[in-house]
Amino acid sequence: MIVCVSVVGHQNNPLYIQSFTDADDALKLHHVVHCSLDVIEERVNNPKTTLNEAFLGLLYPTLNYKVYGYLTNTKVKFILVTTDLDVRDTDVRNFFRKFHAAYVDAVSNPFHVPGKKITSRTFAQTVSNIVGSYGLN
Amino acid sequence: MRFLRRHDDDGDKEAIFALSLAGIPARLFSSDFPSLLFGIRSELGRRIQALSSIKTQPQGVMAGSAPEGTQKKLNQVLEGSKMMEEEYPEELRTPPVSLVALFGCAELHSSITNHLHSQQPPINALAFPDFSHLPLLLLAHRDVINNPTSSSFRDPLSSDSSSSPSAAVPSGGILKRDWLLKHRTKVPALVAAFFPSNHISGDPTQWLQVCSNLDTLKSVIRPKNIKLVVVVVQSSPHEVISEDRLLALRKRAELDSKYVLFLNHSELPLSLPRIASAFSDLALSYYREEARRIKSRIEKRSSTSLDLIVRYCFKVAVYAEFRRDWGEALKFYEDAYHSLHEMIGTSTRLPPIQRLVEIKTIAEQLHFKISTLLLHGGKLSEAVIWFHQHKSSYDKVVGSTEYNFLHWEWMSRQFLVFAELLETSSATVQNFSSLNQGTAEIPLTEFEFYPAYYYQLAAHYLQNKKSALELLLSMSVAAQQIGGSSESITPSVYVGQFSQLREKGEALTLHFITDEEYIRYAISEAKRFQGSFEIVAWLKKSYESFTNLKSRRMAAFCAFEIAREYFGLSDPSNAKFFFDIAANLYRQEGWVSLLWEVLGYLRECSRNLGALKAFVELSLEMVALPVTSCDDFGNLRDKTYGPGGPATVSRRESIHREVFTLMCRETELISSTEESGFKLASDSPLHLEIDLVSPLRPVLLASVAFHEQMIKPRALCSITLSLLSHLPLPVEIDHLEVQFNQSTCNFVVRNSQKPLVASPSSTVQSGSQVENEQSLVLVPNNWLRLTYAIKPEQSGKLECLSVLAKLGPRFTICSRAESPAAMEDSPVWKHENCVQSLPTKDPILAVFGQKATQVEEPEPQVDVSLGASGPALVGENFTMPIVVTSKGHAVHSGELKINLVDVGGGGLFSPREAEPFSLESHHVEICGIDGAEGNDESESETGNIKKIQQSFGLVSVPDLEEGESWSCKLEIKWHRAKPVMLFVSLGYLPQGNEANAQKVHIHKSLQIEGKMPLFITNRFMLPYRRDHLLLNRIKPAPDSEDMSSLPLNEKSVLVVSAKNCTEIALKLMCMSIELDDEQGKTSCLIQQGGGGGETSDSANLAPGEEFKKVFTVIPTMRTPKLSLGSVHMKWRRQGDYTEDACVSTKHKLAEVNVDASPLVMSLNCPPYAILGESFTYAITICNQTQLLQEAKFALADAQSFVLSGSHSNTVSVLPKSEHVLSYKLVPLTCGQQQLPKITLTSVRYSAEFQPSTIASSVFVFPSAPQANSTAK
């Protein structure tokens, strides 16, 4: 189950963070997402690994969560936190593909200020649909 | 030494005795194999270091304010770490080393043991001086294995135990606690018996003694399959032992001949390697056989009990380690681990809780062994994957949910131990990015290779344990009552089991305990070690490690966790230190919700610390945060809030109210409002400074815009002040103070609804402007716009510095003023939820408005005139009168600045034009400034400034009343002809001596042309009708193109002419030639032509007129470059009769070439001729050399003359003699006629020369002139 998705700007500021859990660990998820930025930074700055694709794969396993990352060309990061123990790579890739499309739609809005928080309700709705359909196919 | 001490407690005195007898340094047990070492010492050292860092950090915060119990708690953690150390005894942490026992010949033991230790791999030795100590070896076995009753401990699990309360439980455990130790320190792989050779070949009693010793030895070691070696010690190499005796010895010992060794006292170094290799072979075979024996038991499956299989696998692995067969060791450890895992849920031997504890303890040990072997084999990825599997296979094995703190503690230990293992091995494997990152099933990420990750999780599990324990203690009253004194429960003989020690008279017995008893024990142990300091220590390690890895966010998270732990320990100063670390990062990256939480904690910390200012700042920062409340997105429904509470609008409002009631309450109420925890002195004001980077900027944003970019002095100008606050509730301001860099402009805006409080303020003077406003209320997210007019007094930049808002009797906020044009949002977050509006109504001002403006200077009412304009002449002192006339302003402390600037640019000096004689670097310079007439004395009295440099001058102007004037003369001298710009600027104070008055400046400039007054030329004239063959003329030297040549010792004429090239009439006073120096005086002789006096020189020169003067020059020295000195002239402008006005100008004459001429040709003819009358035209060729000169001559016919004589010929002229060519000529035409032209060619010099045309012409009269008669 996806418990949290997040969009983080190129200055590592949160643009959108949404948790999908009833448990009272939303703040913990914020910490998890924030910490995972370190892994992305390390992976991006490591000269030995070349990034061929936007999908970054598993960032790191925490106690109960697995964190996956995705880096767009504009250095905007998507982060997914799931509680599933075995995650299929293709599912995550699919998720991020859809999520990216939704993000592009949201920031194409002429009233959106780039680099600022995404407040579009349509985006929120689309994201929750994507999260709901995750792992079904 | 610690090793020994521990077993001392167990009562194993024999081993110590043995070891000390043999002289083995105890440290060998911890350093026998350095590369595989996990020394207690280093581990403990690390832990102490980590703990001591708790004490030292944060610097200065803890000092003096450490809670009383800190030291005690630290000691507890240290004890806790010792407990960890006991968790993994030495023998488990280091690889085993083969053990041999030595008997007899004690004098050899030390050298043998030393040699064995230095072997690779080393061998440990137990040394017994003689065979009487044999029972010690024997006892060591029996004591533990065969004869439990003889021990002071009574094993309750032995068959004869009847007192055990749980008799139904099958006896035994999985692993004996001391099995490994026993094999490392007590059970040797072989026994070496040393016999002196004289005992063997000696008398029968000695021989019998040898035999009996051997028999006893055999009887002891045979059952244990311990190998035997007999060493015969010879005193000399030539000593012979009879074959029979040796055979008998071999038979008696039942040994192969290769295991009967000979040792020679004198050849010890040679014998020792032989002995060592034999020992090593035998030890290997002993361990191999033992392993094989046990392996066969596993294969036979004689026992289906998993317990035994685990035990056998463990033993085989240990034997493999003895043999350094790491692969097999790993394999069997893994087998044991897997078999053990199968036991979960199947084993019924012990009560459920203890059973799980035992399994987990053994699993931990096995895991430890496996991880160690993997890591030290360099298999980092495998080790990490192994840990992964270990963690996931035991993650869910919680056991009793009620007592899950046991599980958390165990898990925490797994992470901690792995972290430490990883840390010690990370030195060898640094670069994991090149490693295979996990497998397809278990992908590994970067952080799983960092010890920091495991430290962090260890701390996390310990937190779980702590909270689980707290929950348990709060739930059950019984648990609370468990005291610190546990009922003498100790670890039993089996690993992971506990039993009760009961005293029965003299004997101590071990008894089984029930789960309840065990839990009581575990709770009491857990109560002793609360774990907070361990959590902090591990998190701190993690924090430091992440900081070193530049993982700032991970580090910040760790800091946050540390701080929370400190917060829980009621240590606000330490908590604050770490919260601040986290808050800084969250602030920087705009993680508002995280920041809110941290700030909430920090607020409480500062409240507990009594730091009012920090408390107010943090509270204001919190309330001004753009936290999207939980209602909008459903985020942050976290029920476990920090002390900041939920980030909702209502919570922000309540914090806001709390702060403002705290700060704005009336003075008399203070004593009654102590509940917030602050004790304030009633007159302690709180002043907050907000600058552009302050996190408090959203609290009060002050934008200031001047309406004009340039304003007149003393004229009103408009300024708009816009204030914005993101506080959730409206704020009423008592008064505002606007501060400028010109403090006279500062003004106050007063809220007329508030009572007038006489508040002394340092920044606003008493007489300053005061504005009144009906209301000064800052409505959230709305600009409060105020426009006022101010009247600047001074010219220059006028900038608004800050706006100070007084919000209560003692609460002021000072916000740095910002220009609307330069105003920027916070870089990472915006107040998204509110409407963006402009700070001013005028959109142009909102976009381009500036907080600073320029105040113009007042109009100068003083005139500065520059009196002269005409061209200046080079060399003279050009006088420039400057007149300062007051026309309305009085002049006070005036200063006249004078600047000369080259019009052509590039300064007044250009190196390219530099000439050797012009030593002055400036071509134009100010020579002096004459003050106003008669004012010299006063100037010197007042010490006025009068600085003159070559192109800069500074003159002070005396004070002038209105209508007065002052003048001075500026003298400028040109060294070169060039135009120059003269800048004169006068700065003065119109109003007397006011300290803060501003100067008014007037600027004037004038371009002045500098001109050469006289153009001087010179030419030489050689003696008339005497032509010299000057070789230089024929073959000129390359650099002397234009150089004139003069013959040596001949009188030449020099004509110097000076032309007035200005438009001004000049008077030339005198002209002379001065030779440069002594050499010049000797080398040539110059006389004035004409011989007239000085007066004859003086002449008036109208513009364009020329003056000439003739000199004779006789060079007396032959030189290619003869300096003729320079022409000195004195002149002045016509009509200027002052003495000073006379200017002397120097002009250097060009150098000439002086040459001796070998041939001189002189023409001789009468001064005039008469038509038709013949005259003689003689040409004399004079040879001035010592050589015979051959000269060709050719005479050209002339139309006007009839000529007699040879036209051309070659003549030889003897040295120092002359040859005369004589012609008779009859003129045919009147007037100036050209004589026949002669061309002379010197053969020797192949040079040809002719007399000049003027020299070879003569005037022909028609008849003889009558001049003589008339003259007479």
Side-chain angles (χ1 to χ4, degrees), chain B residues 335-603:
Chain B
D335 281 354
Y337 181 86
H338 291 307
S339 309
L340 188 72
H341 196 245
E342 286 173 37
M343 281 172 68
I344 302 171
T346 58
S347 168
T348 52
R349 193 168 38 77
L350 284 171
I353 292 177
Q354 291 185 62
R355 182 197 316 150
L356 201 60
V357 167
E358 182 184 19
I359 288 172
K360 278 187 183 170
T361 312
I362 293 167
E364 186 181 338
Q365 290 200 355
L366 291 173
H367 161 70
F368 175 78
K369 270 290 180 194
I370 292 165
S371 299
T372 312
L373 285 175
L374 281 174
L375 280 175
H376 287 273
K379 297 168 184 167
L380 185 57
S381 304
E382 279 91 336
V384 173
I385 291 169
W386 173 261
F387 181 78
H388 224 281
Q389 286 167 347
H390 176 59
K391 185 205 130 199
S392 51
S393 47
Y394 281 93
D395 203 11
K396 302 282 180 236
V397 190
V398 182
S400 157
T401 46
E402 195 185 347
Y403 305 113
N404 55 0
F405 74 90
L406 289 174
H407 175 68
W408 298 130
E409 189 179 4
W410 184 84
M411 283 299 277
S412 160
R413 206 162 52 231
Q414 304 313 300
F415 277 93
L416 178 67
V417 165
F418 193 70
E420 286 180 356
L421 281 181
L422 212 54
E423 200 168 38
T424 45
S425 68
S426 63
T428 52
V429 189
Q430 283 288 345
N431 193 0
F432 50 81
S433 58
S434 55
L435 292 173
N436 175 24
Q437 298 232 326
T439 59
E441 297 85 48
I442 307 166
L444 293 180
T445 55
E446 292 89 338
F447 279 69
E448 287 172 86
F449 292 93
Y450 296 143
Y453 173 77
Y454 297 96
Y455 278 122
Q456 192 196 343
L457 290 179
H460 181 86
Y461 278 109
L462 209 59
Q463 279 171 338
N464 276 2
K465 176 224 159 183
K466 199 179 140 199
S467 55
L469 187 66
E470 277 164 10
L471 187 71
L472 178 71
L473 291 177
S474 66
M475 301 277 282
S476 107
V477 186
Q480 285 169 21
Q481 288 163 349
I482 294 169
S485 60
S486 59
E487 291 125 355
S488 57
I489 286 174
T490 57
S492 91
V493 288
Y494 289 103
V495 174
Q497 287 187 17
F498 291 88
S499 50
Q500 198 176 13
L501 200 63
R502 284 188 194 163
E503 215 169 328
K504 262 189 184 175
E506 287 291 301
L508 289 169
T509 51
L510 286 171
H511 285 272
F512 260 127
I513 51 171
T514 57
D515 266 2
E516 288 76 46
E517 283 170 324
Y518 175 71
I519 284 297
R520 284 165 67 86
Y521 167 71
I523 289 175
S524 73
E525 284 294 298
K527 268 177 156 180
R528 279 174 56 207
F529 307 110
Q530 287 287 327
S532 276
F533 277 85
E534 279 158 322
I535 293 172
V536 169
W538 299 338
L539 281 173
K540 222 169 240 185
K541 287 200 87 166
S542 184
Y543 167 75
E544 278 157 17
S545 177
F546 276 131
T547 309
N548 292 340
L549 292 167
K550 295 197 169 58
S551 299
R552 291 186 302 148
R553 296 169 194 89
M554 294 279 193
F557 182 59
C558 289
F560 176 65
E561 296 272 323
I562 295 169
R564 268 214 307 213
E565 211 55 52
Y566 274 126
F567 188 76
L569 288 171
S570 314
D571 185 355
S573 49
N574 271 321
K576 185 176 179 309
F577 178 81
F578 285 100
F579 276 131
D580 274 334
I581 292 170
N584 284 339
L585 184 69
Y586 296 151
R587 205 176 274 147
Q588 193 186 333
E589 298 196 332
W591 285 74
V592 177
S593 46
L594 300 179
L595 181 59
W596 169 274
E597 199 195 8
V598 177
L599 290 179
Y601 278 106
L602 272 175
R603 204 171 85 98

Side-chain angles (χ1 to χ4, degrees), chain B residues 675-956:
Chain B
E675 74 277 2
S676 59
F678 291 109
K679 293 196 180 85
L680 288 178
S682 61
D683 56 345
S684 69
L686 184 69
H687 180 74
L688 298 186
E689 287 276 349
I690 301 176
D691 60 11
L692 296 182
V693 292
S694 164
L696 292 178
R697 192 167 159 253
V699 172
L700 185 67
L701 201 64
S703 143
V704 177
F706 279 97
H707 290 214
E708 307 289 337
Q709 289 181 7
M710 288 288 277
I711 50 179
K712 298 268 181 217
R714 290 158 197 268
L716 287 175
C717 73
S718 296
I719 179 169
T720 294
L721 187 69
S722 315
L723 300 175
L724 180 71
S725 156
H726 287 287
L727 296 174
L729 292 174
V731 178
E732 186 157 21
I733 300 171
D734 288 4
H735 74 251
L736 282 173
E737 290 175 20
V738 186
Q739 294 163 353
F740 294 89
N741 60 345
Q742 301 184 4
S743 59
T744 50
C745 294
N746 291 0
F747 65 94
V748 178
V749 186
R750 182 164 284 140
N751 188 345
S752 48
Q753 288 178 350
K754 288 274 176 176
L756 217 152
V757 185
S759 58
S761 170
S762 59
T763 51
V764 176
Q765 289 148 4
S766 54
S768 61
Q769 196 177 344
V770 177
E771 306 276 347
N772 280 302
E773 281 291 322
Q774 276 307 305
S775 75
L776 276 175
V777 176
L778 279 177
V779 181
N781 303 328
N782 269 321
W783 287 99
L784 174 68
R785 304 189 183 101
L786 306 163
T787 303
Y788 300 106
I790 56 169
K791 196 194 259 182
E793 293 288 333
Q794 295 177 29
S795 56
K797 196 180 181 189
L798 178 63
E799 185 178 10
C800 182
L801 296 177
S802 56
V803 176
L804 188 139
K806 200 163 179 62
L807 300 172
R810 298 174 323 281
F811 185 28
T812 48
I813 298 180
C814 181
S815 180
R816 191 75 60 85
E818 297 177 44
S819 301
M823 207 152 59
E824 282 173 7
D825 277 319
S826 161
V828 284
W829 78 67
K830 226 178 177 176
H831 291 263
E832 274 92 356
N833 294 351
C834 55
V835 180
Q836 294 286 315
S837 54
L838 296 175
T840 56
K841 278 187 178 145
D842 181 4
I844 297 171
L845 211 54
V847 178
F848 298 108
Q850 294 290 343
K851 63 170 178 175
T853 189
Q854 196 69 35
V855 183
E856 290 175 5
E857 279 186 359
E859 281 293 327
Q861 293 182 352
V862 169
D863 196 27
V864 173
S865 66
L866 304 176
S869 63
L873 303 182
V874 173
E876 71 170 343
N877 275 355
F878 183 72
T879 318
M880 169 65 71
I882 300 171
V883 184
V884 178
T885 319
S886 160
K887 287 179 181 172
H889 271 169
V891 178
H892 295 283
S893 41
E895 264 183 10
L896 204 60
K897 284 181 193 163
I898 298 146
N899 249 315
L900 283 179
V901 176
D902 187 2
V903 172
L908 293 175
F909 168 68
S910 65
R912 264 178 298 163
E913 292 172 20
E915 283 179 22
F917 74 91
S918 71
L919 293 172
E920 308 92 337
S921 56
H922 288 261
H923 300 150
V924 184
E925 63 176 334
I926 301 175
C927 299
I929 300 166
D930 273 351
E933 297 83 353
N935 272 7
D936 293 340
E937 291 163 18
S938 66
E939 271 181 39
S940 58
E941 277 168 15
T942 50
N944 277 346
I945 326 140
K946 189 169 173 184
K947 273 191 207 163
I948 301 168
Q949 290 173 2
Q950 274 161 327
S951 62
F952 176 75
L954 184 67
V955 194
S956 66

Side-chain angles (χ1 to χ4, degrees), chain B residues 66 70 91 115 190 263 342 481 533 553 606 627 690 793 890 983 1028 1082 1086 1096 1230:
Chain B
T70 308
E91 64 266 18
H115 183 77
L190 83 156
L263 184 72
E342 286 173 37
Q481 288 163 349
F533 277 85
R553 296 169 194 89
S606 54
V627 171
I690 301 176
E793 293 288 333
F983 290 97
H1028 296 259
T1082 55
I1086 297 179
S1096 65
C1230 295

Side-chain angles (χ1 to χ4, degrees), chain B residues 969-1008:
Chain B
K969 278 180 184 166
L970 181 65
E971 282 179 9
I972 310 170
K973 193 167 187 178
W974 269 256
H975 298 290
R976 286 289 201 92
K978 68 191 308 165
V980 151
M981 204 70 176
L982 173 70
F983 290 97
V984 176
S985 71
L986 173 69
Y988 70 96
L989 297 172
Q991 281 103 19
N993 297 318
E994 284 174 39
N996 54 350
Q998 275 203 311
K999 282 203 167 182
V1000 184
H1001 291 96
I1002 312 146
H1003 304 280
K1004 277 282 161 75
S1005 64
L1006 181 69
Q1007 179 168 350
I1008 309 170

Side-chain angles (χ1 to χ4, degrees), chain B residues 98-383:
Chain B
S98 312
L99 187 72
V100 299
L102 314 176
F103 279 94
C105 292
E107 71 279 6
L108 287 170
H109 287 180
S110 74
S111 54
I112 291 174
T113 48
N114 283 341
H115 183 77
L116 290 177
H117 287 149
S118 63
Q119 289 296 106
Q120 200 56 253
I123 299 170
N124 280 338
L126 294 169
F128 299 90
D130 57 59
F131 292 90
S132 61
H133 293 288
L134 191 57
L136 288 178
L137 185 67
L138 201 144
L139 196 67
H141 291 192
R142 291 223 183 110
D143 180 18
V144 184
I145 298 160
N146 303 326
N147 196 8
T149 47
S150 73
S151 163
S152 57
F153 293 109
R154 192 161 160 274
D155 189 354
L157 307 176
S158 58
S159 53
D160 60 347
S161 164
S162 56
S163 58
S164 173
S166 52
V169 179
S171 64
I174 298 170
L175 288 180
K176 279 246 176 65
R177 188 175 294 277
D178 57 358
W179 184 85
L180 186 54
L181 184 66
K182 186 183 80 188
H183 276 270
R184 291 182 51 145
T185 59
K186 287 182 209 158
V187 182
L190 83 156
V191 171
F194 288 77
F195 297 108
S197 56
N198 56 354
H199 284 208
I200 293 166
S201 56
D203 58 49
T205 53
Q206 278 173 333
W207 170 245
L208 273 180
Q209 183 61 42
V210 167
C211 290
S212 80
N213 282 346
L214 266 180
D215 288 343
T216 332
L217 201 58
K218 264 158 59 186
S219 69
V220 171
I221 64 173
R222 219 16 80 69
K224 302 302 296 175
N225 302 321
I226 294 170
K227 306 285 178 192
L228 177 68
V229 177
V230 171
V231 184
V232 179
V233 182
Q234 293 171 302
S235 51
S236 78
H238 311 295
E239 197 176 331
V240 185
I241 304 165
S242 72
E243 271 305 311
D244 295 347
R245 278 288 166 89
L246 275 182
L247 202 65
L249 184 70
R250 273 211 292 276
K251 266 202 183 136
R252 185 58 83 158
E254 298 171 49
L255 276 180
D256 193 55
S257 62
K258 72 174 172 180
Y259 295 123
V260 177
L261 302 168
F262 294 93
L263 184 72
N264 218 315
H265 265 297
S266 51
E267 291 174 354
L268 212 53
L270 288 178
S271 322
L272 283 178
R274 215 153 21 91
I275 290 176
S277 80
F279 282 10
S280 142
D281 285 352
L282 275 175
L284 270 183
S285 74
Y286 168 75
Y287 292 122
R288 195 177 296 118
E289 279 165 27
E290 284 296 291
R292 197 175 299 138
R293 195 166 58 82
I294 294 169
K295 247 192 270 184
S296 72
R297 285 197 221 160
I298 302 172
E299 278 152 17
K300 262 190 270 166
R301 296 259 165 195
S302 58
S303 162
T304 49
S305 157
L306 280 167
D307 300 13
L308 287 178
I309 291 180
V310 171
R311 183 188 295 173
Y312 293 154
C313 288
F314 179 76
K315 286 184 176 178
V316 173
V318 170
Y319 284 130
E321 275 199 273
F322 270 116
R323 301 199 310 273
R324 313 211 152 227
D325 185 352
W326 312 121
E328 183 165 304
L330 194 61
K331 178 174 168 287
F332 277 92
Y333 280 131
E334 284 183 13
D335 281 354
Y337 181 86
H338 291 307
S339 309
L340 188 72
H341 196 245
E342 286 173 37
M343 281 172 68
I344 302 171
T346 58
S347 168
T348 52
R349 193 168 38 77
L350 284 171
I353 292 177
Q354 291 185 62
R355 182 197 316 150
L356 201 60
V357 167
E358 182 184 19
I359 288 172
K360 278 187 183 170
T361 312
I362 293 167
E364 186 181 338
Q365 290 200 355
L366 291 173
H367 161 70
F368 175 78
K369 270 290 180 194
I370 292 165
S371 299
T372 312
L373 285 175
L374 281 174
L375 280 175
H376 287 273
K379 297 168 184 167
L380 185 57
S381 304
E382 279 91 336

